[in-house]
Structures are given as structure tokens and as C-alpha cells.
Amino acid sequence: MLDVRRLRLLRELARRGTIAAVAEALAFSPSAVSQQLSVLEREAGLPLLERTGRRVRLTPAGQNLVRHADAVLERLEEAAADLAEARSGLAGALRIGAFPTATRAIVPAALAALARRHPGLEPMVSETDPAAVAHALRAGDLDVALVHEYDFVPAPREPGLATQPLYREPMYLAAPAQAPSAGAVRAPAPASASGPAPDQGAVLRAHADDPWITATHGTLCHAMAVRACQAAGFSPRIRHRVDEFPAVLALVAAGQGVAVVPQLGVMGPADPAVSLTRLPMERRTKVAFRSGAAAHPAVAAFAAALRAAVPPELATPDSPE
């Protein structure tokens, strides 16, 4: 009989690439991971890994077993959801991952509603970049998370995970107000605003020679800004790398560069030192969880609270995925 815990280690190896990364993520020593995978090979009765020096890769049999592991772990999530449904009342920890703008604008209202309806539930929020969510969910460090994708950075399909759409928001080019772009506005228009949007390529190319402010390297926000500029025909000259949008806008107001920011990043009192030009591109936010966990009462309750907390000025998805 194959051991589920060892199947999980094999799946993590397939996703993370090295035994050291699996050990770090799951709080094992590398030698313990190697020993458990060796036991799994004995249980399977054929090689699952090919070792070349310090590196390992999965054999065809190992890759096929990972696909079965995904199915097994999904059914276990469904079983856990059924058991939780059978219990009276929600209780215990719910580990939530969220990126900063959602943590500020959406999550507090959702947590307040959750506390009123399910006082025994203990939500625990950790700010987590969407690029790190898949590993954290599969490792069991998170139960549910908010993730996003951009027009220029679509989210790859992640085995073992499922998502539900939450809201869409437009993007803006933020520039110092003393040199406003054509079509600039002082405050963000609602996501449902009608009328022709400025040509995105032209808006961005107007700032091709300016310094740029992006998120830190390796984040989806950083990739979005770079790829949007490249699609407009230039590579941005990055001066500052900052993850918090209020800090980004403060740098723009100080004349330190230009940036692309989402609507949630510019909500609040308008800064007269910042000119905002709406771009015809979007950021789409989703609720992510392990496959099979959609029916878990705690996950479902938090997702419902999130949907109720979405500000009315943000566009909601037309239909579920």
C-alpha cells in the first residue's frame, strides 16, 4: 500500500524541483526526504527518481504516480470537507494568504462578517505574494488565498489547486502631475466607466525615457509592468523597486518616476501631485484553495464573505470559472 505522506513528498518534488526545496517547505531534513522517497520507491516496486550527482528528476513512472497523487489528495480534501460539514458550527484556524492591496481594502470587512457569523472560526492572515501561493497551499501552510493575474501575466494552471473569480479592476499609469499624460484624470473612474480608453502603447511610450517604479523582481506586479512596457516597444529604466502602492504613489508625487498601479492601489483621497491615466488593461483577483476544498465550510464561508466585501466600484466576474 502506498503511503499518502510519501506521495505528497513526491508531488512536492515534482513541483519544486529539488529535495532541498521540498525539505525546506515541509520542515524536513533533506536526508529525511530522500529516505522517505526511497521507501516510496520500494513500495512502488520500480524506480521513481533518476539521480545524477546532486540533482534528481522523476522517471516516467514517477511522473505518472504524481498524477495519481493529485487525484488522491483531492479526494482527501473532499473527505475533510464532508467531515467538517457534518460537525456543528465552524471552529479552529483558517490560514489565509492575501496580497497587500486586498489585505487593506477587502479582507478586513470580510473578516468582520466572518466573525459575526462564525465566532468559533479563527482566521489567520499572512501577506503572501500570489507567486508564492501555489506552493504554500500545496504544502498546507495556507488553507485559502487571494491571487491575481494581469493581462500581460496570465496565471499558469497549478496542479492540485482550484480557483474562483472574485473581481476585476482597471490599471492606471501614475505620473507626476506637473507633466500629465494625455487623458489624465485626478481620481480613478469606476471600473464600469464607458467611453474610449487612451491608446495604451502611446501612453506608456510617452514615458519611455522616464525612470520607472516597479514592484520587486520576481513578483507578478513587476512582471506586469515590464511586459506592458515591452509590448509598447521599450524596456523600462527601473529606478525604484517598491511593493506597497501607497509608497509607489508617494515616490511618483516626489517626481521619482512613473508606475503602473491597479485601482485598489489608487483608491482613497486623490493626491494633486499625481496624475492618473486609465489604461485598457486589468488585474483579475481570484480565491484559490486546494482542489477538493471548495465545499469545505470554512473555505466556502470565507469566499462568500470576500464576495460580499468587494467594493461596488469594482467589476465582478460575469460567471464562475
Side-chain angles (χ1 to χ4, degrees):
M1 180 69 69
L2 299 177
D3 186 283
V4 171
R5 293 167 295 182
R6 297 182 187 117
L7 288 176
R8 184 182 177 208
L9 290 176
L10 185 69
R11 185 181 72 166
E12 287 303 305
L13 179 61
R15 305 291 177 247
R16 298 177 186 269
T18 67
I19 286 176
V22 174
E24 181 178 0
L26 301 183
F28 284 90
S29 67
S31 61
V33 173
S34 294
Q35 290 169 6
Q36 291 300 308
L37 291 174
S38 295
V39 173
L40 182 61
E41 285 185 305
R42 291 198 295 272
E43 292 174 343
L46 74 169
L48 303 176
L49 306 175
E50 294 177 343
R51 295 170 175 83
T52 56
R54 295 186 177 182
R55 301 187 62 83
V56 296
R57 63 180 181 179
L58 271 63
T59 64
Q63 294 170 357
N64 189 49
L65 187 55
V66 166
R67 288 190 288 271
H68 288 294
D70 283 334
V72 168
L73 292 169
E74 180 174 348
R75 291 302 299 269
L76 287 175
E77 288 290 341
E78 292 172 353
D82 286 345
L83 290 173
E85 183 69 31
R87 293 192 291 267
S88 59
L90 294 181
L94 179 67
R95 295 158 299 180
I96 300 164
F99 51 90
T101 47
T103 301
R104 184 178 68 251
I106 308 289
V107 172
L111 294 183
L114 202 64
R116 289 193 297 270
R117 295 174 189 144
H118 306 287
L121 200 60
E122 184 183 2
M124 305 167 65
V125 177
S126 299
E127 282 198 353
T128 309
D129 186 84
V133 160
H135 284 333
L137 283 170
R138 280 194 294 260
D141 296 331
L142 297 175
D143 299 310
V144 62
L146 288 173
V147 297
H148 57 57
E149 65 176 6
Y150 296 95
D151 287 345
F152 290 98
V153 193
R157 180 171 177 78
E158 290 285 355
L161 301 187
T163 61
Q164 294 175 351
L166 187 61
Y167 61 84
R168 298 179 288 114
E169 58 186 313
M171 305 294 295
Y172 292 84
L173 186 283
Q178 60 266 29
S181 306
V185 295
R186 288 297 185 208
S192 58
S194 60
D199 177 76
Q200 179 165 291
V203 171
L204 298 179
R205 281 193 298 274
H207 299 280
D209 295 328
D210 292 342
W212 279 73
I213 305 163
T214 71
T216 52
H217 185 77
T219 62
L220 299 183
C221 296
H222 175 272
M224 171 274 301
V226 171
R227 292 180 189 179
C229 292
Q230 290 173 341
F234 69 97
S235 293
R237 179 168 58 88
I238 300 172
R239 175 180 289 178
H240 303 293
R241 291 176 173 83
V242 179
D243 289 327
E244 291 281 350
F245 288 118
V248 169
L249 294 176
L251 290 171
V252 172
Q256 287 295 300
V258 299
V260 177
V261 296
Q263 181 163 345
L264 280 183
V266 297
M267 290 176 69
D271 186 340
V274 177
S275 171
L276 298 171
T277 303
R278 182 169 171 173
L279 300 170
M281 60 183 288
E282 290 183 334
R283 181 170 78 168
R284 293 172 292 280
T285 294
K286 306 176 184 182
V287 185
F289 39 81
R290 288 182 291 279
S291 296
H296 192 288
V299 172
F302 181 62
L306 284 171
R307 286 190 289 272
V310 173
E313 58 267 34
L314 297 184
T316 55
D318 297 328
S319 60
E321 294 182 334

mmCIF file of all heavy atoms in Angstrom, residues 269-316:
data_model
loop_
_atom_site.group_PDB
_atom_site.id
_atom_site.type_symbol
_atom_site.label_atom_id
_atom_site.label_comp_id
_atom_site.label_asym_id
_atom_site.label_seq_id
_atom_site.Cartn_x
_atom_site.Cartn_y
_atom_site.Cartn_z
ATOM 1 N N PRO A 269 -8.254 59.326 -0.949
ATOM 2 C CA PRO A 269 -8.136 60.734 -1.329
ATOM 3 C C PRO A 269 -7.146 60.923 -2.478
ATOM 4 O O PRO A 269 -6.060 60.355 -2.481
ATOM 5 C CB PRO A 269 -7.627 61.405 -0.038
ATOM 6 C CG PRO A 269 -8.014 60.468 1.061
ATOM 7 C CD PRO A 269 -7.941 59.093 0.476
ATOM 8 N N ALA A 270 -7.556 61.723 -3.475
ATOM 9 C CA ALA A 270 -6.688 61.974 -4.618
ATOM 10 C C ALA A 270 -5.518 62.851 -4.218
ATOM 11 O O ALA A 270 -5.666 63.798 -3.437
ATOM 12 C CB ALA A 270 -7.482 62.638 -5.740
ATOM 13 N N ASP A 271 -4.343 62.538 -4.733
ATOM 14 C CA ASP A 271 -3.151 63.345 -4.488
ATOM 15 C C ASP A 271 -2.973 64.282 -5.678
ATOM 16 O O ASP A 271 -2.753 63.833 -6.805
ATOM 17 C CB ASP A 271 -1.935 62.421 -4.352
ATOM 18 C CG ASP A 271 -0.682 63.175 -3.941
ATOM 19 O OD1 ASP A 271 -0.636 64.413 -4.122
ATOM 20 O OD2 ASP A 271 0.251 62.524 -3.433
ATOM 21 N N PRO A 272 -3.058 65.594 -5.471
ATOM 22 C CA PRO A 272 -2.925 66.521 -6.600
ATOM 23 C C PRO A 272 -1.563 66.467 -7.268
ATOM 24 O O PRO A 272 -1.395 66.987 -8.377
ATOM 25 C CB PRO A 272 -3.189 67.891 -5.960
ATOM 26 C CG PRO A 272 -2.903 67.714 -4.505
ATOM 27 C CD PRO A 272 -3.268 66.294 -4.194
ATOM 28 N N ALA A 273 -0.580 65.855 -6.616
ATOM 29 C CA ALA A 273 0.752 65.758 -7.215
ATOM 30 C C ALA A 273 0.889 64.555 -8.147
ATOM 31 O O ALA A 273 1.942 64.366 -8.753
ATOM 32 C CB ALA A 273 1.815 65.689 -6.123
ATOM 33 N N VAL A 274 -0.175 63.732 -8.231
ATOM 34 C CA VAL A 274 -0.116 62.527 -9.063
ATOM 35 C C VAL A 274 -1.193 62.593 -10.130
ATOM 36 O O VAL A 274 -2.364 62.867 -9.843
ATOM 37 C CB VAL A 274 -0.314 61.255 -8.211
ATOM 38 C CG1 VAL A 274 -0.336 60.002 -9.102
ATOM 39 C CG2 VAL A 274 0.789 61.134 -7.166
ATOM 40 N N SER A 275 -0.802 62.358 -11.356
ATOM 41 C CA SER A 275 -1.735 62.289 -12.481
ATOM 42 C C SER A 275 -1.966 60.831 -12.840
ATOM 43 O O SER A 275 -1.013 60.058 -12.973
ATOM 44 C CB SER A 275 -1.143 63.039 -13.685
ATOM 45 O OG SER A 275 -1.921 62.829 -14.840
ATOM 46 N N LEU A 276 -3.230 60.441 -12.977
ATOM 47 C CA LEU A 276 -3.585 59.055 -13.270
ATOM 48 C C LEU A 276 -4.254 58.951 -14.635
ATOM 49 O O LEU A 276 -5.204 59.669 -14.920
ATOM 50 C CB LEU A 276 -4.536 58.514 -12.201
ATOM 51 C CG LEU A 276 -3.998 58.469 -10.772
ATOM 52 C CD1 LEU A 276 -5.110 58.133 -9.794
ATOM 53 C CD2 LEU A 276 -2.865 57.459 -10.662
ATOM 54 N N THR A 277 -3.753 58.054 -15.461
ATOM 55 C CA THR A 277 -4.340 57.798 -16.770
ATOM 56 C C THR A 277 -4.794 56.346 -16.824
ATOM 57 O O THR A 277 -3.982 55.435 -16.664
ATOM 58 C CB THR A 277 -3.322 58.054 -17.902
ATOM 59 O OG1 THR A 277 -2.837 59.391 -17.804
ATOM 60 C CG2 THR A 277 -3.965 57.849 -19.273
ATOM 61 N N ARG A 278 -6.081 56.150 -17.049
ATOM 62 C CA ARG A 278 -6.594 54.784 -17.099
ATOM 63 C C ARG A 278 -6.075 54.071 -18.341
ATOM 64 O O ARG A 278 -6.057 54.626 -19.447
ATOM 65 C CB ARG A 278 -8.116 54.793 -17.089
ATOM 66 C CG ARG A 278 -8.705 53.391 -17.091
ATOM 67 C CD ARG A 278 -10.176 53.399 -16.819
ATOM 68 N NE ARG A 278 -10.751 52.072 -17.027
ATOM 69 C CZ ARG A 278 -12.001 51.752 -16.732
ATOM 70 N NH1 ARG A 278 -12.798 52.666 -16.207
ATOM 71 N NH2 ARG A 278 -12.448 50.543 -16.954
ATOM 72 N N LEU A 279 -5.652 52.830 -18.151
ATOM 73 C CA LEU A 279 -5.138 52.008 -19.240
ATOM 74 C C LEU A 279 -6.146 50.904 -19.568
ATOM 75 O O LEU A 279 -6.840 50.421 -18.680
ATOM 76 C CB LEU A 279 -3.800 51.368 -18.837
ATOM 77 C CG LEU A 279 -2.673 52.327 -18.476
ATOM 78 C CD1 LEU A 279 -1.501 51.560 -17.865
ATOM 79 C CD2 LEU A 279 -2.220 53.109 -19.703
ATOM 80 N N PRO A 280 -6.199 50.464 -20.812
ATOM 81 C CA PRO A 280 -7.119 49.382 -21.184
ATOM 82 C C PRO A 280 -6.552 48.012 -20.838
ATOM 83 O O PRO A 280 -6.408 47.131 -21.684
ATOM 84 C CB PRO A 280 -7.290 49.566 -22.695
ATOM 85 C CG PRO A 280 -5.998 50.162 -23.134
ATOM 86 C CD PRO A 280 -5.553 51.067 -22.008
ATOM 87 N N MET A 281 -6.201 47.826 -19.592
ATOM 88 C CA MET A 281 -5.739 46.524 -19.109
ATOM 89 C C MET A 281 -6.285 46.312 -17.707
ATOM 90 O O MET A 281 -6.694 47.278 -17.040
ATOM 91 C CB MET A 281 -4.207 46.418 -19.131
ATOM 92 C CG MET A 281 -3.492 47.436 -18.273
ATOM 93 S SD MET A 281 -1.677 47.332 -18.394
ATOM 94 C CE MET A 281 -1.353 45.816 -17.514
ATOM 95 N N GLU A 282 -6.321 45.058 -17.248
ATOM 96 C CA GLU A 282 -6.967 44.729 -15.988
ATOM 97 C C GLU A 282 -6.076 43.870 -15.095
ATOM 98 O O GLU A 282 -5.159 43.202 -15.563
ATOM 99 C CB GLU A 282 -8.250 43.927 -16.237
ATOM 100 C CG GLU A 282 -9.382 44.706 -16.856
ATOM 101 C CD GLU A 282 -10.629 43.849 -16.988
ATOM 102 O OE1 GLU A 282 -10.495 42.605 -17.085
ATOM 103 O OE2 GLU A 282 -11.727 44.427 -16.982
ATOM 104 N N ARG A 283 -6.412 43.897 -13.825
ATOM 105 C CA ARG A 283 -5.925 42.901 -12.877
ATOM 106 C C ARG A 283 -7.147 42.121 -12.398
ATOM 107 O O ARG A 283 -8.169 42.705 -12.037
ATOM 108 C CB ARG A 283 -5.218 43.559 -11.689
ATOM 109 C CG ARG A 283 -4.685 42.535 -10.692
ATOM 110 C CD ARG A 283 -3.772 43.160 -9.637
ATOM 111 N NE ARG A 283 -4.512 43.860 -8.591
ATOM 112 C CZ ARG A 283 -3.954 44.282 -7.453
ATOM 113 N NH1 ARG A 283 -2.664 44.084 -7.237
ATOM 114 N NH2 ARG A 283 -4.676 44.918 -6.549
ATOM 115 N N ARG A 284 -7.050 40.804 -12.435
ATOM 116 C CA ARG A 284 -8.170 39.941 -12.037
ATOM 117 C C ARG A 284 -7.786 39.167 -10.774
ATOM 118 O O ARG A 284 -6.744 38.511 -10.745
ATOM 119 C CB ARG A 284 -8.527 38.977 -13.171
ATOM 120 C CG ARG A 284 -9.100 39.694 -14.394
ATOM 121 C CD ARG A 284 -9.261 38.767 -15.574
ATOM 122 N NE ARG A 284 -7.967 38.339 -16.106
ATOM 123 C CZ ARG A 284 -7.211 39.080 -16.918
ATOM 124 N NH1 ARG A 284 -7.618 40.290 -17.282
ATOM 125 N NH2 ARG A 284 -6.066 38.626 -17.367
ATOM 126 N N THR A 285 -8.623 39.253 -9.774
ATOM 127 C CA THR A 285 -8.354 38.605 -8.488
ATOM 128 C C THR A 285 -9.255 37.395 -8.312
ATOM 129 O O THR A 285 -10.447 37.436 -8.650
ATOM 130 C CB THR A 285 -8.556 39.603 -7.338
ATOM 131 O OG1 THR A 285 -7.554 40.624 -7.436
ATOM 132 C CG2 THR A 285 -8.422 38.919 -5.981
ATOM 133 N N LYS A 286 -8.686 36.315 -7.767
ATOM 134 C CA LYS A 286 -9.400 35.058 -7.563
ATOM 135 C C LYS A 286 -9.152 34.545 -6.154
ATOM 136 O O LYS A 286 -8.176 34.918 -5.500
ATOM 137 C CB LYS A 286 -8.925 34.006 -8.579
ATOM 138 C CG LYS A 286 -9.010 34.445 -10.029
ATOM 139 C CD LYS A 286 -8.427 33.385 -10.955
ATOM 140 C CE LYS A 286 -8.427 33.856 -12.403
ATOM 141 N NZ LYS A 286 -7.895 32.797 -13.302
ATOM 142 N N VAL A 287 -10.046 33.679 -5.712
ATOM 143 C CA VAL A 287 -9.866 32.948 -4.461
ATOM 144 C C VAL A 287 -9.300 31.583 -4.821
ATOM 145 O O VAL A 287 -9.850 30.881 -5.667
ATOM 146 C CB VAL A 287 -11.195 32.775 -3.703
ATOM 147 C CG1 VAL A 287 -10.955 32.110 -2.350
ATOM 148 C CG2 VAL A 287 -11.901 34.114 -3.540
ATOM 149 N N ALA A 288 -8.184 31.199 -4.195
ATOM 150 C CA ALA A 288 -7.514 29.933 -4.502
ATOM 151 C C ALA A 288 -7.514 29.027 -3.283
ATOM 152 O O ALA A 288 -7.424 29.495 -2.142
ATOM 153 C CB ALA A 288 -6.084 30.190 -4.965
ATOM 154 N N PHE A 289 -7.595 27.726 -3.544
ATOM 155 C CA PHE A 289 -7.585 26.725 -2.479
ATOM 156 C C PHE A 289 -7.182 25.394 -3.092
ATOM 157 O O PHE A 289 -7.085 25.257 -4.320
ATOM 158 C CB PHE A 289 -8.965 26.618 -1.812
ATOM 159 C CG PHE A 289 -10.101 26.725 -2.780
ATOM 160 C CD1 PHE A 289 -10.513 25.631 -3.531
ATOM 161 C CD2 PHE A 289 -10.745 27.942 -2.987
ATOM 162 C CE1 PHE A 289 -11.539 25.720 -4.440
ATOM 163 C CE2 PHE A 289 -11.776 28.050 -3.912
ATOM 164 C CZ PHE A 289 -12.169 26.936 -4.638
ATOM 165 N N ARG A 290 -6.931 24.411 -2.252
ATOM 166 C CA ARG A 290 -6.567 23.094 -2.761
ATOM 167 C C ARG A 290 -7.745 22.449 -3.481
ATOM 168 O O ARG A 290 -8.897 22.614 -3.054
ATOM 169 C CB ARG A 290 -6.071 22.197 -1.618
ATOM 170 C CG ARG A 290 -4.695 22.588 -1.081
ATOM 171 C CD ARG A 290 -4.231 21.641 0.024
ATOM 172 N NE ARG A 290 -5.019 21.794 1.241
ATOM 173 C CZ ARG A 290 -4.829 22.738 2.154
ATOM 174 N NH1 ARG A 290 -3.854 23.620 1.995
ATOM 175 N NH2 ARG A 290 -5.582 22.801 3.238
ATOM 176 N N SER A 291 -7.466 21.728 -4.552
ATOM 177 C CA SER A 291 -8.530 21.034 -5.273
ATOM 178 C C SER A 291 -9.279 20.103 -4.318
ATOM 179 O O SER A 291 -8.665 19.365 -3.552
ATOM 180 C CB SER A 291 -7.938 20.206 -6.421
ATOM 181 O OG SER A 291 -7.323 21.035 -7.374
ATOM 182 N N GLY A 292 -10.599 20.170 -4.378
ATOM 183 C CA GLY A 292 -11.425 19.375 -3.486
ATOM 184 C C GLY A 292 -11.876 20.115 -2.253
ATOM 185 O O GLY A 292 -12.745 19.624 -1.524
ATOM 186 N N ALA A 293 -11.312 21.316 -1.996
ATOM 187 C CA ALA A 293 -11.635 22.052 -0.766
ATOM 188 C C ALA A 293 -12.720 23.108 -0.965
ATOM 189 O O ALA A 293 -13.072 23.801 -0.015
ATOM 190 C CB ALA A 293 -10.382 22.717 -0.203
ATOM 191 N N ALA A 294 -13.264 23.235 -2.169
ATOM 192 C CA ALA A 294 -14.262 24.283 -2.422
ATOM 193 C C ALA A 294 -15.480 24.128 -1.506
ATOM 194 O O ALA A 294 -16.084 25.129 -1.089
ATOM 195 C CB ALA A 294 -14.697 24.251 -3.881
ATOM 196 N N ALA A 295 -15.833 22.891 -1.191
ATOM 197 C CA ALA A 295 -17.015 22.652 -0.361
ATOM 198 C C ALA A 295 -16.710 22.666 1.132
ATOM 199 O O ALA A 295 -17.633 22.496 1.940
ATOM 200 C CB ALA A 295 -17.654 21.311 -0.734
ATOM 201 N N HIS A 296 -15.449 22.858 1.505
ATOM 202 C CA HIS A 296 -15.143 22.915 2.935
ATOM 203 C C HIS A 296 -15.863 24.117 3.533
ATOM 204 O O HIS A 296 -15.761 25.233 3.014
ATOM 205 C CB HIS A 296 -13.639 23.053 3.155
ATOM 206 C CG HIS A 296 -13.223 22.827 4.569
ATOM 207 N ND1 HIS A 296 -13.480 23.736 5.572
ATOM 208 C CD2 HIS A 296 -12.570 21.781 5.165
ATOM 209 C CE1 HIS A 296 -12.998 23.274 6.718
ATOM 210 N NE2 HIS A 296 -12.448 22.092 6.498
ATOM 211 N N PRO A 297 -16.620 23.936 4.612
ATOM 212 C CA PRO A 297 -17.432 25.043 5.128
ATOM 213 C C PRO A 297 -16.642 26.309 5.451
ATOM 214 O O PRO A 297 -17.120 27.411 5.203
ATOM 215 C CB PRO A 297 -18.058 24.444 6.398
ATOM 216 C CG PRO A 297 -18.063 22.984 6.158
ATOM 217 C CD PRO A 297 -16.847 22.685 5.359
ATOM 218 N N ALA A 298 -15.451 26.155 6.009
ATOM 219 C CA ALA A 298 -14.665 27.347 6.354
ATOM 220 C C ALA A 298 -14.193 28.074 5.108
ATOM 221 O O ALA A 298 -14.245 29.312 5.025
ATOM 222 C CB ALA A 298 -13.476 26.948 7.219
ATOM 223 N N VAL A 299 -13.722 27.329 4.108
ATOM 224 C CA VAL A 299 -13.284 27.937 2.853
ATOM 225 C C VAL A 299 -14.459 28.610 2.154
ATOM 226 O O VAL A 299 -14.362 29.749 1.677
ATOM 227 C CB VAL A 299 -12.629 26.885 1.935
ATOM 228 C CG1 VAL A 299 -12.343 27.463 0.554
ATOM 229 C CG2 VAL A 299 -11.339 26.355 2.572
ATOM 230 N N ALA A 300 -15.598 27.910 2.087
ATOM 231 C CA ALA A 300 -16.777 28.467 1.434
ATOM 232 C C ALA A 300 -17.281 29.715 2.156
ATOM 233 O O ALA A 300 -17.688 30.695 1.522
ATOM 234 C CB ALA A 300 -17.877 27.410 1.356
ATOM 235 N N ALA A 301 -17.250 29.696 3.495
ATOM 236 C CA ALA A 301 -17.714 30.849 4.262
ATOM 237 C C ALA A 301 -16.824 32.059 4.027
ATOM 238 O O ALA A 301 -17.303 33.192 3.876
ATOM 239 C CB ALA A 301 -17.760 30.503 5.749
ATOM 240 N N PHE A 302 -15.511 31.841 3.981
ATOM 241 C CA PHE A 302 -14.600 32.966 3.743
ATOM 242 C C PHE A 302 -14.769 33.496 2.324
ATOM 243 O O PHE A 302 -14.760 34.719 2.108
ATOM 244 C CB PHE A 302 -13.157 32.534 3.984
ATOM 245 C CG PHE A 302 -12.162 33.640 3.772
ATOM 246 C CD1 PHE A 302 -12.192 34.780 4.556
ATOM 247 C CD2 PHE A 302 -11.194 33.554 2.785
ATOM 248 C CE1 PHE A 302 -11.284 35.817 4.366
ATOM 249 C CE2 PHE A 302 -10.285 34.573 2.580
ATOM 250 C CZ PHE A 302 -10.323 35.708 3.373
ATOM 251 N N ALA A 303 -14.925 32.608 1.338
ATOM 252 C CA ALA A 303 -15.124 33.061 -0.038
ATOM 253 C C ALA A 303 -16.394 33.894 -0.152
ATOM 254 O O ALA A 303 -16.417 34.925 -0.847
ATOM 255 C CB ALA A 303 -15.167 31.869 -0.985
ATOM 256 N N ALA A 304 -17.462 33.475 0.521
ATOM 257 C CA ALA A 304 -18.710 34.238 0.493
ATOM 258 C C ALA A 304 -18.535 35.601 1.151
ATOM 259 O O ALA A 304 -19.048 36.619 0.668
ATOM 260 C CB ALA A 304 -19.820 33.444 1.184
ATOM 261 N N ALA A 305 -17.794 35.642 2.263
ATOM 262 C CA ALA A 305 -17.541 36.915 2.939
ATOM 263 C C ALA A 305 -16.720 37.847 2.062
ATOM 264 O O ALA A 305 -16.945 39.070 2.043
ATOM 265 C CB ALA A 305 -16.838 36.662 4.267
ATOM 266 N N LEU A 306 -15.759 37.288 1.327
ATOM 267 C CA LEU A 306 -14.973 38.104 0.408
ATOM 268 C C LEU A 306 -15.847 38.712 -0.678
ATOM 269 O O LEU A 306 -15.732 39.910 -1.002
ATOM 270 C CB LEU A 306 -13.872 37.260 -0.238
ATOM 271 C CG LEU A 306 -12.653 36.923 0.617
ATOM 272 C CD1 LEU A 306 -11.779 35.903 -0.106
ATOM 273 C CD2 LEU A 306 -11.841 38.173 0.939
ATOM 274 N N ARG A 307 -16.728 37.898 -1.274
ATOM 275 C CA ARG A 307 -17.584 38.415 -2.346
ATOM 276 C C ARG A 307 -18.465 39.551 -1.840
ATOM 277 O O ARG A 307 -18.680 40.540 -2.543
ATOM 278 C CB ARG A 307 -18.434 37.277 -2.916
ATOM 279 C CG ARG A 307 -17.643 36.315 -3.800
ATOM 280 C CD ARG A 307 -18.548 35.355 -4.546
ATOM 281 N NE ARG A 307 -19.142 34.364 -3.666
ATOM 282 C CZ ARG A 307 -18.570 33.199 -3.369
ATOM 283 N NH1 ARG A 307 -17.389 32.882 -3.890
ATOM 284 N NH2 ARG A 307 -19.166 32.347 -2.563
ATOM 285 N N ALA A 308 -18.962 39.436 -0.605
ATOM 286 C CA ALA A 308 -19.797 40.499 -0.042
ATOM 287 C C ALA A 308 -18.998 41.753 0.273
ATOM 288 O O ALA A 308 -19.566 42.849 0.350
ATOM 289 C CB ALA A 308 -20.493 39.987 1.215
ATOM 290 N N ALA A 309 -17.676 41.605 0.455
ATOM 291 C CA ALA A 309 -16.836 42.744 0.843
ATOM 292 C C ALA A 309 -16.240 43.483 -0.347
ATOM 293 O O ALA A 309 -15.595 44.519 -0.159
ATOM 294 C CB ALA A 309 -15.709 42.258 1.756
ATOM 295 N N VAL A 310 -16.422 42.982 -1.563
ATOM 296 C CA VAL A 310 -15.845 43.642 -2.737
ATOM 297 C C VAL A 310 -16.488 45.017 -2.905
ATOM 298 O O VAL A 310 -17.720 45.127 -2.949
ATOM 299 C CB VAL A 310 -16.062 42.796 -4.003
ATOM 300 C CG1 VAL A 310 -15.615 43.565 -5.249
ATOM 301 C CG2 VAL A 310 -15.302 41.484 -3.905
ATOM 302 N N PRO A 311 -15.723 46.095 -2.992
ATOM 303 C CA PRO A 311 -16.299 47.434 -3.187
ATOM 304 C C PRO A 311 -17.156 47.490 -4.448
ATOM 305 O O PRO A 311 -16.820 46.864 -5.459
ATOM 306 C CB PRO A 311 -15.057 48.332 -3.323
ATOM 307 C CG PRO A 311 -13.976 47.586 -2.621
ATOM 308 C CD PRO A 311 -14.255 46.140 -2.872
ATOM 309 N N PRO A 312 -18.273 48.207 -4.407
ATOM 310 C CA PRO A 312 -19.183 48.221 -5.559
ATOM 311 C C PRO A 312 -18.567 48.796 -6.827
ATOM 312 O O PRO A 312 -19.043 48.511 -7.920
ATOM 313 C CB PRO A 312 -20.355 49.070 -5.058
ATOM 314 C CG PRO A 312 -19.804 49.864 -3.915
ATOM 315 C CD PRO A 312 -18.769 49.003 -3.290
ATOM 316 N N GLU A 313 -17.524 49.613 -6.688
ATOM 317 C CA GLU A 313 -16.926 50.201 -7.882
ATOM 318 C C GLU A 313 -16.042 49.223 -8.661
ATOM 319 O O GLU A 313 -15.605 49.540 -9.769
ATOM 320 C CB GLU A 313 -16.106 51.446 -7.525
ATOM 321 C CG GLU A 313 -14.982 51.214 -6.530
ATOM 322 C CD GLU A 313 -15.410 51.472 -5.116
ATOM 323 O OE1 GLU A 313 -16.582 51.216 -4.779
ATOM 324 O OE2 GLU A 313 -14.568 51.937 -4.319
ATOM 325 N N LEU A 314 -15.768 48.059 -8.101
ATOM 326 C CA LEU A 314 -15.001 47.048 -8.815
ATOM 327 C C LEU A 314 -15.933 46.137 -9.592
ATOM 328 O O LEU A 314 -17.033 45.817 -9.149
ATOM 329 C CB LEU A 314 -14.168 46.219 -7.842
ATOM 330 C CG LEU A 314 -13.084 46.953 -7.047
ATOM 331 C CD1 LEU A 314 -12.287 45.963 -6.218
ATOM 332 C CD2 LEU A 314 -12.169 47.740 -7.957
ATOM 333 N N ALA A 315 -15.474 45.715 -10.759
ATOM 334 C CA ALA A 315 -16.287 44.834 -11.599
ATOM 335 C C ALA A 315 -16.227 43.421 -11.055
ATOM 336 O O ALA A 315 -15.167 42.929 -10.685
ATOM 337 C CB ALA A 315 -15.784 44.872 -13.042
ATOM 338 N N THR A 316 -17.371 42.763 -10.992
ATOM 339 C CA THR A 316 -17.420 41.372 -10.571
ATOM 340 C C THR A 316 -17.462 40.467 -11.796
ATOM 341 O O THR A 316 -17.931 40.881 -12.859
ATOM 342 C CB THR A 316 -18.647 41.111 -9.682
ATOM 343 O OG1 THR A 316 -19.825 41.536 -10.380
ATOM 344 C CG2 THR A 316 -18.541 41.874 -8.380
#
